[in-house]
Amino acid sequence: EAGVTQFPSHSVIEKGQTVTLRCDPISGHDNLYWYRRVMGKEIKFLLHFVKESKQDESGMPNNRFLAERTGGTYSTLKVQPAELEDSGVYFCASSVIGGTEAFFGQGTRLTVV
Amino acid sequence: RKEVEQDPGPFNVPEGATVAFNCTYSNSASQSFFWYRQDCRKEPKLLMSVYSSGNEDGRFTAQLNRASQYISLLIRDSKLSDSATYLCVVNVGGSYIPTFGRGTSLIVHP
């Protein structure tokens, strides 16, 4: 069975550009989470979907970040316009309903220059 | 105060040593507890869940102390391959959002 997959694995963009990250959760996992790890800091929660609904987006840094999960399958996280401080590794995770183990994707390493 | 706190280390130990990590959490309503392992430039992977009664998986033992709000991970007979960052993860409250500690770096040397 395929795990959580994320695309792209790396992205280097210029400040002011737009980037869209994609996450395909494990099939059947209704919970989908986005996280970000900035160099030297802990992995920080961004938001949580249950199916296509945003349950909690309290971790989203600002309105330059937009996450969607149309149809309750894959999710996208768009950063527009990107700023230097947006650089980091963006992880996606999924789990079944019930608070069990979350499975992580390999992450997207975003560098804004 | 951070929701989940860990000593970042690094813990530098010789092969065969026993090493223990602690993690404290601030929300007494936390429901589930896990230790994840993260290798350099890789994604976090579940090492083990932590149960109230404590649990063991080979050389790894996890303990939970709800009264003091901390969990621990004990690694016996350390191997070179145990070198990694160990992440304490707590599902907070009713939302079951996994919340991470900063991670503890372990370096096992020959």
Side-chain angles (χ1 to χ4, degrees), chain B residues 14-34:
Chain B
E15 273 185 290
T18 295
V19 61
F21 308 137
N22 287 331
C23 162
T24 58
Y25 59 95
S26 60
N27 191 328
S28 59
S30 298
Q31 302 287 336
S32 311
F33 309 88
F34 308 90

Side-chain angles (χ1 to χ4, degrees), chain B residues 26-98:
Chain B
S26 60
N27 191 328
S28 59
S30 298
Q31 302 287 336
S32 311
F33 309 88
F34 308 90
W35 284 102
Y36 277 72
R37 169 189 170 136
Q38 186 175 24
D39 293 287
C40 187
R41 294 183 173 261
K42 299 283 189 179
E43 73 274 22
K45 290 188 176 180
L46 181 70
L47 178 66
M48 57 197 303
S49 303
V50 186
Y51 304 118
S52 297
S53 54
N55 48 298
E56 188 174 311
D57 183 2
R59 298 181 293 108
F60 299 83
T61 301
Q63 298 273 357
L64 166 63
N65 185 320
R66 284 190 185 272
S68 301
Q69 294 182 202
Y70 80 81
I71 67 174
S72 64
L73 177 68
L74 181 78
I75 305 176
R76 290 180 298 277
D77 189 23
S78 299
K79 311 290 184 193
L80 295 177
S81 57
D82 293 335
S83 298
T85 296
Y86 290 83
L87 299 160
C88 175
V89 180
V90 176
N91 281 6
V92 178
S95 60
Y96 295 106
I97 293 176

Side-chain angles (χ1 to χ4, degrees), chain A:
Chain A
E1 181 185 347
V4 178
T5 56
Q6 292 186 244
F7 181 82
S9 55
H10 293 83
S11 181
V12 181
I13 62 171
E14 292 184 351
K15 176 181 170 180
Q17 288 186 320
T18 297
V19 64
T20 300
L21 314 181
R22 174 171 169 144
C23 169
D24 286 76
I26 293 172
S27 177
H29 282 196
D30 289 335
N31 284 321
L32 188 150
Y33 309 90
W34 281 99
Y35 290 86
R36 176 173 73 176
R37 185 165 206 168
V38 173
M39 180 74 75
K41 308 270 184 156
E42 69 269 26
I43 296 173
K44 281 206 154 180
F45 167 77
L46 297 179
L47 89 159
H48 171 212
F49 284 100
V50 176
K51 298 185 180 179
E52 68 276 9
S53 299
K54 289 178 187 173
Q55 287 291 112
D56 186 335
E57 50 185 329
S58 60
M60 295 287 261
N62 51 61
N63 58 10
R64 295 186 293 104
F65 289 73
L66 175 64
E68 294 180 323
R69 193 183 181 192
T70 307
T73 53
Y74 71 91
S75 174
T76 58
L77 178 65
K78 181 191 287 188
V79 185
Q80 179 182 29
E83 298 288 345
L84 298 178
E85 65 263 24
D86 300 333
S87 297
V89 181
Y90 290 77
F91 288 106
C92 173
S94 71
S95 69
V96 296
I97 297 292
T100 57
E101 173 193 356
F103 295 82
F104 282 79
Q106 80 281 11
T108 294
R109 186 172 296 275
L110 175 65
T111 303
V112 183
V113 297

